[in-house]
Amino acid sequence: MGRDVDLFVIGGGSGGVRAARVAAGHGARVMLAEEYRLGGTCVIRGCVPKKLMVYASRFAEEFEDAAGFGWTLGTARFDWGTLKARRDAEIARLEGIYRSLLDGSKVAVADERAVIEDAHTVRLLRSGRRVTADHILIATGGAPSLEPPIPGGELAITSNDVFELEEQPERVLVVGGGYIAVEFAGIFAGLGTRTTQLHRGDKLLRGFDEELRDALGEAYAWRGIDLALGLTVRRIAREGGELAATLSSGEVRRFDRILVATGRRPHVEGLGLAQVGIEVDAAGAIPVDAYSQSRVPSIWAVGDVTNRANLTPIAIREGHAFADTVFGGRKTAVDHRLIPTAVFSTPEIGTLGLSEEAARRLHGDDVVIYKSTFRPMKATLSGRNERMLMKLVVEGRTDRVLGVHVLGHDAGEIIQMAGIALAMGATKADFDRTVAVHPTASEELVTMRTPYVAKAPAAS
Ligand code: FAD
């Protein structure tokens, strides 16, 4: 007996939408369920609205810098409500585009929550409809997790809630040291909120190149972000109109809002996984093979719910590769090894490949570092105290570039291009024979000739 559809996709985010459209393009009959808004985390409450807020947060410095170039500006004033309304309208427009792309691809969309009943059946909770499918793709993404729990944590907000705030907080505490916490601290500070960022570690952005971490910490402190490092929040309590955070040091600090951005968990609650014999791993993620197939042959999973590399372009690739594998007659696995990424802090970070520390763990002494820290040209007239950092991590024996790390203006744009070079296996000699574009900051990446040697400690 034929099933209702060839593919049922649960989740209309980056991975699910791509998989549905590509599978339909291969001729599959596809249905997709989305319980919230089409576009998923990235479009509705992640990358896109965040980046719009990052843009907003950078104007204050631009206005200040303009004076050094001869401009006289009136008093600048920021209105949170205007930004929110315009951002929300743009997100609604994008959501509409996602819907019309799915319609245009002949993917049937159910605007409701779906759960798995058995290896070939999905139940739609609002309509009560049951749909049978040859294949089920789980693309339910992730959700903010308040782990470890903080007493009074329900008074805090998550990254999802930031986009719903009707008013700009005057004082905010951002808890967490990962990229999402770092980005929101930068946004709030740029918009004029008095910002404290608290992190249990001694530096932000664990796992990144240490010099990037140091440079970002310095830049954040310089921008007036109060970094409370090596601390945790013991409890949160409401005191009148304020939130009082008791820190592990015993100190009590008061804020208007507390944003907890300490991590995300795969979104699998109540999905019916146990019923079909799928056990999640320690991180709560669905284990899959290189082709995104779970241990139940008809059930597949892509994107954040598999916790491989929790980024939109990866979810999209995994969704595409799944559709090509199952419906396109071309078995395709995604290479997760070399992923260029940006952190939209101000200053921005672009990073790719191995950090110096990771390279030294793998290659010992056979690692050559090229490094340049300099004042960007714009800062000469603006007078802003800022530095850019560019760093190449090279394997000595092969001359292969193992890592590229950039901190400063447009680092995200720069690292995308470096990504092509590294994907092609570029050597330092390849970088050297590339003609510089002058005057730019990124020309430093192709003009660094002398390896960086750490200075010996001064003799006592
Ligand atoms: P999602 O996009 O999360 O989509 C999952 C969808 O499934 C959701 O719409 C959800 O409502 C739906 N769903 C869940 N369960 C069900 C169910 N049972 N039935 C029906 N629907 C269901 N990545 C980048 O690459 N660059 C960035 O700059 C970036 N910034 C980010 C900033 C923030 C604040 C956050 C939170 C994330 C950011 N990310 C960024 C990560 C990126 O958003 C995710 O990696 C990406 O969205 C994952 O796509 P996905 O398809 O796996 O899941």
Side-chain angles (χ1 to χ4, degrees), residues 387-439:
R387 311 278 302 163
M388 266 194 100
L389 168 67
M390 305 253 175
K391 186 167 170 181
L392 294 179
V393 179
V394 179
E395 184 183 7
R397 189 176 50 85
T398 60
D399 197 38
R400 216 157 45 94
V401 180
L402 303 173
V404 183
H405 308 284
V406 179
L407 176 133
H409 294 280
D410 300 320
E413 307 291 341
I414 294 169
I415 213 68
Q416 178 67 86
M417 294 296 107
I420 303 173
L422 262 64
M424 294 173 74
T427 59
K428 177 65 169 62
D430 293 323
F431 274 63
D432 291 346
R433 69 189 168 82
T434 303
V435 176
V437 179
H438 185 73

Side-chain angles (χ1 to χ4, degrees), residues 9-17 33-48 50-51 110 112-115 139-142 144 159-160 163 179-180 183-184 264 267 269-271 302-305 309-316 342 344:
V9 179
I10 306 180
S14 310
V17 168
E34 168 53 54
E35 68 176 344
Y36 182 54
R37 292 175 68 183
L38 285 175
T41 303
C42 182
V43 175
I44 307 296
R45 42 199 185 183
C47 339
V48 178
K50 168 203 77 187
K51 183 90 189 269
E112 53 186 308
R113 180 168 169 77
V115 295
T140 52
S159 65
N160 287 350
F163 301 113
Y179 85 93
I180 293 177
E183 290 178 339
F184 278 113
R264 292 176 62 79
H267 194 176
E269 291 81 11
L271 200 56
V302 295
D304 285 9
V305 78
N310 299 329
L311 293 164
T312 282
I314 300 299
I316 290 174
F344 295 102

